Amino acid sequence: RHLGHNPAAGAMVIALWLGTLVVAATGLAGYAGPGGELFEALHEGLAWGLLALIALHLVGVLVSSLAERQNLALSMLTGRKRGASS
């Protein structure tokens, strides 16, 4: 049990942030200059990949909530999570 993110959740946070950054960058590059069609296609594929990561994140929260017998979604909103002794 972890008070913060477990290692898999920490990796997912990094993947979601990087994915969002790359999707935004390719979206801007699609409008900004030469190779726009290539960037638009790349942007679309990466956006679908980001949606898949989001779905995987939701499944991970559900599985971890059931395994730890606590509401992790609520702890994301309140910032409070039961410790190892609870």
Side-chain angles (χ1 to χ4, degrees):
R1 189 178 298 249
H2 301 274
L3 274 181
H5 287 96
N6 65 33
M12 179 58 81
V13 168
I14 292 169
L16 288 169
W17 276 106
L18 288 176
T20 301
L21 180 66
V22 173
V23 167
T26 55
L28 288 172
Y31 288 110
E37 289 180 16
L38 173 67
F39 281 113
E40 285 181 24
L42 186 59
H43 173 75
E44 184 177 353
L46 289 170
W48 281 108
L50 185 58
L51 287 173
L53 282 177
I54 291 168
L56 187 60
H57 175 67
L58 293 173
V59 169
V61 168
L62 178 64
V63 168
S64 291
S65 290
L66 294 172
E68 295 179 13
R69 294 185 177 152
Q70 62 180 335
N71 188 343
L72 293 178
L74 181 63
S75 69
M76 287 183 224
L77 295 174
T78 64
R80 294 187 181 131
K81 185 177 175 185
R82 281 186 301 158
S85 62
S86 297

